[in-house]
Amino acid sequence: MKNYHIEIQQERGRVLISIIATKENKGKGKKQNAGKQFERDFYASVPADLFFYRLKDDSLGYLNVKNPCDFILYKYPTIYLFELKSHKGKSIPFSALQPFQVESLYQYSKVDGVKAGFVFNFRDVNETYFVDAVTVYQFYHVGERKSFFLEWAKENWVFIPQKLKRTRYQYDLYNLLNY
């Protein structure tokens, strides 16, 4: 049986509303989805003076809604399109990505003034990287592997520093917005 709950967070004048589907755990405490928590932490890390919008995430596939990304951010003169992925281990399998998103972000990245890509969070090592959509597209279609691995990320991607503040992370987006 599935239950739904709504989370509303307000920080620095912004409101983030999440509708989350959870399975009922009899006798156990509610466990938060690590990927959704990563998205909330990332959202809370964006400087207040930037335009930032979180697209409705319909992971249940209701009405066949397909979003090209999770977030849209605008910092003059560039618009950023980000798909966020958090995964255990030292690699992120291709199966964690939606082919529609790989294709869409690749096409959008060809437009002047648009930077599109993926923000990959490797939870086991507490490291986060941005990789542009062109690099993802090429590696996804031509690469000899079936996953994005941490060592390659360190050599080819933009590192996003993160700080643990008690139980949640804060991300320093300076590198990402100035690459």
Side-chain angles (χ1 to χ4, degrees), residues 6-111:
I6 298 173
E7 292 182 10
I8 301 173
Q9 295 177 334
Q10 185 171 2
E11 284 188 29
R12 298 178 301 189
R14 297 184 197 172
V15 177
L16 173 63
I17 300 173
S18 301
I19 299 174
I20 301 172
T22 58
K23 290 184 180 176
E24 188 176 315
N25 288 335
K26 293 183 181 179
K28 296 185 179 180
K30 183 171 67 171
K31 186 176 180 182
Q32 291 189 358
N33 178 317
K36 294 297 177 196
Q37 189 59 55
F38 169 58
E39 288 181 10
R40 285 191 286 274
D41 291 348
F42 189 86
Y43 181 86
S45 299
V46 175
D49 61 338
L50 299 180
F51 172 81
F52 196 55
Y53 185 75
R54 181 173 184 238
L55 297 173
K56 180 185 179 304
D57 185 18
D58 190 7
S59 58
L60 300 175
Y62 181 71
L63 294 178
N64 203 19
V65 173
K66 289 183 181 180
N67 288 328
C69 59
D70 291 319
F71 294 101
I72 299 172
L73 185 142
Y74 178 73
K75 179 187 176 202
Y76 180 81
T78 306
I79 191 165
Y80 297 86
L81 305 176
F82 299 132
E83 173 63 23
L84 278 61
K85 295 292 178 188
S86 181
H87 209 272
K88 280 184 145 186
K90 293 185 179 181
S91 67
I92 297 181
F94 287 175
S95 61
L97 278 62
Q98 298 297 320
F100 170 77
Q101 291 174 323
V102 173
E103 301 296 325
S104 296
L105 291 176
Y106 173 71
Q107 293 302 322
Y108 293 139
S109 69
K110 294 179 181 180
V111 177

Side-chain angles (χ1 to χ4, degrees), residues 105-148:
L105 291 176
Y106 173 71
Q107 293 302 322
Y108 293 139
S109 69
K110 294 179 181 180
V111 177
D112 286 339
V114 174
K115 290 189 179 179
F118 293 80
V119 177
F120 291 132
N121 173 252
F122 296 90
R123 287 195 308 263
D124 285 354
V125 293
N126 295 323
E127 292 185 16
T128 303
Y129 296 88
F130 170 78
V131 59
D132 65 271
V134 173
T135 303
V136 168
Y137 180 86
Q138 291 170 344
F139 195 75
Y140 185 83
H141 287 292
V142 181
E144 298 172 4
R145 296 185 61 126
K146 295 293 179 193
S147 65
F148 300 98

